[in-house]
Amino acid sequence: MTEPARLALVDRALKEAPAHELAEVLDEVLRKHYCAISSEIYLIDLRLAILEPVLASTAPGVPLAGTPAGRAYCDQVPVREAVGGGVVLNLPMAVRGDRVGVLNVRLSELPDATGTDELVALAGSVAHAITLAEVATDRYRRARRPERLTLAAEMQWQLLPVRAIDGKSYRLAGQLEPAYAVRGDNFDWSQEAETLTVAVTNGMGEGVTASMLTTLAITALRNARRSGADLVEQAALADQAVWSHHTGAQYVATLLIQLDLQSGSVLAIDAGSPRIWRVRQDGVAPISLEAQLPLGMFDGTEYVAQAFELEAGDRLFILTDGIYDAVLADRNYTMTSLRRALQSSRLLPPAEAVRALMSDLRAFLRDQELDDDAVAVCLDWLGPGRVAEELVLPPSTS
C-alpha cells in the first residue's frame, strides 16, 4: 500500500472512531498496516513535566528530563531507541504549534526515511484527532492530570485557549502555575487577519471566588473583542462588567496588548500588575508603561492605549507577580534570577521557554509550592511573513 493510501486510511479510521476509543483504534491500525508490535499515546500533563499514557492509564508517566520521549517532545523531532531487539520511535504530536504529546510506536525494525516521515505525519493526524475528541470525552483530559484539580483550577483551565500557537509572523505560548490549585491568574489570545491580541489577568482573592471573578473578566473581554471593539473599548467594556457586579469590592489587574503582525507595532493597556519584559540580542529589559486602574476598581474608568515598536526577532515575556515577586528567604526572584532565566531561554521556542522559566522558578523556590498564582506568556515577533525556523537554531537530531 502506498504512503498516501495508508495515511488516508489512518485519517479515516480516526475520524470514524468513537472519541473515547482513538487510542485503541490507532493501535489496531498501526499493528495491521505498519507491522507495529505495540503503541502508546503520551499526553503532556498540566505542569509540562510528565508525559502521561492513555492506553496503559495506570502506568507511571514518563518524565521529560532524560528520556527519549521527553526529548522528542521538547525538541519536536522524532527520537528512536533500541528496545529488546526492536526499535521504538517517539514521534512528537502537535497542532499548529500546540504540543499535545508523543506517539510511541514499537517496531521490529527501523523504517527507512520515507517510512519515518510517514509516521511523523501520522502523529500529526493523531494530535488533531485528540484535540477534536476532547470536546466529546474526558478521557484525554483525565490522562493529563495525575493529580486532582481543585474546583477553582478546573474553572481556570476551562477558560484557557491552547497553550501554544505558531503563526507566519509570530510564535506564542503560555503556562499557568501551580497547575492543580490555581486561583485567579489567566491568559487569553486571539489572532485576526492583521493583529494578535493577548490578555493576561491577575485576579483578586482565592478559590472559587477568584475563579468566578476571572471568568467574568475574561468573558467580558472576549465578548467585547468578538463584537469588533478596539483595545480601549475592550478594556472599558470589561471594566464596566466587573464594576457592575462587584462595585469596586473586587477587581482584576490586567495587561492587554495588540500586535500588528506586519509592522511590529504594539498597543498596550497596563491596567494592573502583569508586566512585560523584552528580550533582544543585546539583553533583557522591562517595558515601562503608564499604570492605569485595574478592571472594575472604579466606575467608568477611561483607558488609554500606549504604543511601542518591536524589531524582527524580538521576544516579549508577560509575567504576573507570582513570578517576578517570588521570594525565598531574603532572595527575590526578579533581582537574582529572572533576567538570567529570560536571556538563557533566548534560542528556545516559546513553548519551551515558558516551561524552562517555570522550571527555573521552581528551582529558585527549591520545589516549594508557589505562594501565588503565576502566569508566563512568551511572544516572538518574527517579522512580516517570516517563518519560525529562520530565527532559531535547529534542534539536534542525533
Side-chain angles (χ1 to χ4, degrees), residues 3 16 26 38-39 59 93 95 110 127 137 191 211 337 344 379 390:
E3 173 187 341
E16 294 175 353
L26 174 66
S38 63
S39 70
M93 300 191 305
V95 181
L110 182 69
T137 178
Q191 181 196 341
S211 289
S337 303
S344 64
L379 168 61
E390 294 177 7

Side-chain angles (χ1 to χ4, degrees), residues 55 65 75 110 112 114 129 137 143 228 249 253 258 344 359 362 380 387:
L55 276 172
D75 291 350
L110 182 69
D112 59 18
T114 300
T137 178
Q258 188 172 79
S344 64
S359 295
R362 287 193 292 269
D380 289 350
V387 295

Side-chain angles (χ1 to χ4, degrees), residues 45-220:
D45 80 319
L46 298 182
R47 290 189 67 186
L48 302 179
I50 303 291
L51 290 163
E52 298 288 350
V54 174
L55 276 172
S57 57
T58 60
V62 176
L64 294 188
T67 65
R71 182 165 160 258
Y73 178 86
C74 294
D75 291 350
Q76 291 292 287
V77 294
V79 176
R80 65 178 183 267
E81 54 180 318
V83 177
V87 64
V88 169
L89 286 180
N90 297 280
L91 307 166
M93 300 191 305
V95 181
R96 295 183 179 178
D98 187 28
R99 301 176 177 197
V100 176
V102 171
L103 174 61
N104 179 282
V105 183
R106 183 173 180 178
L107 304 158
S108 58
E109 60 183 23
L110 182 69
D112 59 18
T114 300
T116 300
D117 290 345
E118 184 177 346
L119 287 169
V120 169
L122 186 152
S125 297
V126 176
H128 278 273
I130 288 177
T131 300
L132 292 174
E134 285 187 331
V135 177
T137 178
D138 288 334
R139 181 182 185 184
Y140 311 109
R141 295 182 189 274
R142 280 199 302 270
R144 297 176 187 272
R145 48 177 83 178
E147 303 174 32
R148 182 175 178 176
L149 270 67
T150 64
L151 178 56
E154 188 77 54
M155 295 171 68
Q156 293 291 71
W157 280 101
Q158 285 295 110
L159 274 180
L160 288 175
V162 296
R163 286 192 284 183
I165 188 168
D166 290 348
K168 289 183 178 180
S169 58
Y170 74 93
R171 299 175 306 176
L172 180 63
Q175 176 60 3
L176 174 61
E177 291 277 359
Y180 298 93
V182 292
R183 294 176 286 274
D185 289 13
N186 213 284
F187 58 86
D188 191 32
W189 54 59
S190 177
Q191 181 196 341
E192 301 299 328
E194 299 177 351
T195 60
L196 173 71
T197 302
V198 180
V200 176
T201 61
N202 185 356
M204 288 181 64
E206 297 191 3
V208 172
T209 300
S211 289
M212 291 177 67
L213 176 64
T214 302
T215 298
L216 174 62
I218 290 288
T219 304

Side-chain angles (χ1 to χ4, degrees), residues 131-394:
T131 300
L132 292 174
E134 285 187 331
V135 177
T137 178
D138 288 334
R139 181 182 185 184
Y140 311 109
R141 295 182 189 274
R142 280 199 302 270
R144 297 176 187 272
R145 48 177 83 178
E147 303 174 32
R148 182 175 178 176
L149 270 67
T150 64
L151 178 56
E154 188 77 54
M155 295 171 68
Q156 293 291 71
W157 280 101
Q158 285 295 110
L159 274 180
L160 288 175
V162 296
R163 286 192 284 183
I165 188 168
D166 290 348
K168 289 183 178 180
S169 58
Y170 74 93
R171 299 175 306 176
L172 180 63
Q175 176 60 3
L176 174 61
E177 291 277 359
Y180 298 93
V182 292
R183 294 176 286 274
D185 289 13
N186 213 284
F187 58 86
D188 191 32
W189 54 59
S190 177
Q191 181 196 341
E192 301 299 328
E194 299 177 351
T195 60
L196 173 71
T197 302
V198 180
V200 176
T201 61
N202 185 356
M204 288 181 64
E206 297 191 3
V208 172
T209 300
S211 289
M212 291 177 67
L213 176 64
T214 302
T215 298
L216 174 62
I218 290 288
T219 304
L221 287 168
R222 287 175 176 170
N223 179 254
R225 187 183 71 224
R226 292 166 182 172
S227 299
D230 63 25
L231 204 66
V232 170
E233 292 169 331
Q234 290 172 36
L237 290 169
D239 170 70
Q240 196 59 39
V242 176
W243 166 262
S244 66
H245 282 79
H246 299 287
T247 59
Q250 289 184 287
Y251 44 86
V252 183
T254 305
L255 181 67
L256 293 172
I257 70 168
Q258 188 172 79
L259 169 65
D260 185 304
L261 296 172
Q262 290 301 308
S263 69
S265 298
V266 178
L267 293 177
I269 295 176
D270 180 356
S273 57
R275 299 179 186 174
I276 308 179
W277 275 260
R278 181 182 59 210
V279 183
R280 279 183 176 163
Q281 296 289 351
D282 58 355
V284 178
I287 293 181
S288 298
L289 298 170
E290 179 185 347
Q292 301 177 66
L293 296 174
L295 305 181
M297 178 174 279
F298 294 104
D299 187 17
T301 301
E302 295 184 3
Y303 292 95
V304 177
Q306 297 177 259
F308 61 90
E309 302 293 325
L310 295 181
E311 299 175 0
D314 275 358
R315 164 168 289 178
L316 296 181
F317 273 98
I318 306 174
L319 311 176
T320 60
D321 56 5
I323 297 178
Y324 62 76
D325 279 348
V327 173
L328 181 67
D330 60 346
R331 298 171 63 238
N332 178 279
Y333 186 66
T334 295
M335 300 302 295
T336 61
S337 303
L338 179 58
R339 282 177 170 79
R340 172 194 52 75
L342 299 184
Q343 183 64 45
S344 64
S345 66
R346 178 70 183 88
L347 294 179
L348 296 176
E352 275 299 290
V354 294
R355 193 179 71 83
L357 176 61
M358 290 301 190
S359 295
D360 189 76
L361 177 62
R362 287 193 292 269
F364 171 82
L365 295 172
R366 299 177 185 173
D367 289 325
Q368 297 179 26
E369 284 296 325
L370 277 67
D371 291 332
D372 192 7
D373 289 1
V375 160
V377 171
C378 179
L379 168 61
D380 289 350
W381 184 60
L382 309 174
R386 298 289 296 277
V387 295
E389 289 75 15
E390 294 177 7
L391 291 175
V392 295
L393 296 177

